[in-house]
Amino acid sequence: MDAFGPEQAATYDERFSKLSAINSLLHLVIQSQFAHLPDNAHILIAGAGTGADVRHLAPLFPSWHFTLADPADAMLEIAWQHANQEGFADRCTFHAGYVSSLPETQFDAATSLLVSHFLNEEEDRTAYYRSIAERLQPSAPLFEAALCGNRYDTIFETEMEVWLGLMNLAGMTDEGGQNYRQSFGTLFATHDPSEVEKMIGAAKFGRPVQCFQAGLIRGWITHRL
C-alpha cells in the first residue's frame, strides 16, 4: 500500500478537494439509501481511507456505529484524527486490515467507495465483494462505487476525456493525464459496468442497480441475498 503511505495520506483530502462535489453527491446517495436503517445500525466502511463516508454520516445518524476497515495504516490514522476532532471517535472501530480479516459480524449496511477498481483480476474482485456479503445481514444494503469503463467501447475515449477534464481541476498535469490513461489495465481494473455487476451478483448480492455516474466513477446499490 505504498501509494497510501504517510506522505500521501497527509495530503489526500486536500489533493482532491476541488472534486468535493462528486464526493458530496456520492454521500447524498448513500444517505438516502441508508436512511431507513435502525437507530443503532452498525455500518461497515470497506476501504475507509481517511473516513470521508463516516464524516458525512456520523452527524446525521448520531446513534450509528461504524467499522472502518483499511489496510493502509496511515490513511486510518487520518480517519481517526478526523473522528476524534469531530466528536464521533467513540462510535468508530478502526480495523487496520482487509475486510476478509474482520470477524463475520452481521453489519446492517456497507459502503465501498473507490476501492474495488484496484483489483484487476475477476476472481480477486469477486472475492472482495463476497467478503463484504459474508459480514452483512440478509437484505442489508451495499453501496459500491468504482472507476469503471470499457476500453473497447467507441465512447470510452470521450468518457476518458471528460474524466481527465475533471482531474485537471484537481491539479493533474498533461503528463499525469497520460500516465493516468496507462493506468487502466494496470493500476486500475478495466472491467466494464456489466462485468462489475456480474461480479457483485456472483458474491451473494442481488442484481445491482446503477444509480450514480460522474465521469468514470459509477455507483450501484445492491442488497445481500
Side-chain angles (χ1 to χ4, degrees), residues 7-197:
E7 182 177 346
Q8 293 77 15
T11 60
Y12 186 85
D13 292 333
E14 180 182 356
R15 196 185 330 157
F16 296 105
S17 61
K18 292 183 178 180
L19 301 181
S20 61
I22 295 176
N23 283 333
S24 294
L25 184 53
L26 280 168
H27 295 151
L28 192 64
V29 176
I30 294 169
Q31 177 186 337
S32 71
Q33 296 302 302
F34 288 9
H36 68 284
L37 296 175
D39 290 342
N40 63 345
H42 192 168
I43 315 300
L44 170 61
I45 311 294
T50 59
D53 304 14
V54 185
R55 295 178 72 188
H56 178 84
L57 294 172
L60 297 171
F61 303 98
S63 298
W64 284 7
H65 187 89
F66 304 89
T67 291
L68 293 81
D70 200 298
D73 292 355
M75 297 288 275
L76 270 189
E77 174 62 24
I78 300 295
W80 178 86
Q81 291 175 18
H82 287 314
N84 189 49
Q85 292 167 4
E86 296 167 27
F88 55 83
D90 60 334
R91 293 192 282 130
C92 295
T93 299
F94 298 89
H95 178 78
Y98 295 102
V99 172
S100 59
S101 64
L102 278 169
E104 292 192 10
T105 304
Q106 294 289 290
F107 291 99
D108 296 290
T111 67
S112 170
L113 298 193
L114 307 182
V115 177
S116 64
H117 55 235
F118 290 112
L119 300 169
N120 279 285
E121 299 300 324
E122 180 178 343
E123 181 179 352
D124 294 337
R125 194 164 184 174
T126 303
Y128 167 72
Y129 293 135
R130 186 175 296 112
S131 72
I132 296 174
E134 290 171 347
R135 288 157 179 81
L136 291 176
Q137 296 190 43
S139 300
L142 164 69
F143 184 80
E144 151 74 347
L147 292 168
C148 181
N150 181 355
R151 290 186 300 169
Y152 305 105
D153 194 311
T154 56
I155 66 169
F156 179 75
E157 182 58 29
T158 301
E159 288 182 332
M160 177 61 78
E161 286 298 327
V162 170
W163 182 241
L164 290 179
L166 289 168
M167 295 300 287
N168 286 342
L169 294 179
M172 178 176 283
T173 64
D174 290 343
E175 181 181 359
Q178 291 302 314
N179 291 335
Y180 200 94
R181 287 176 181 275
Q182 296 171 9
S183 294
F184 276 81
T186 54
L187 179 60
F188 306 124
T190 55
H191 304 126
D192 68 36
S194 64
E195 290 174 319
V196 174
E197 292 169 7

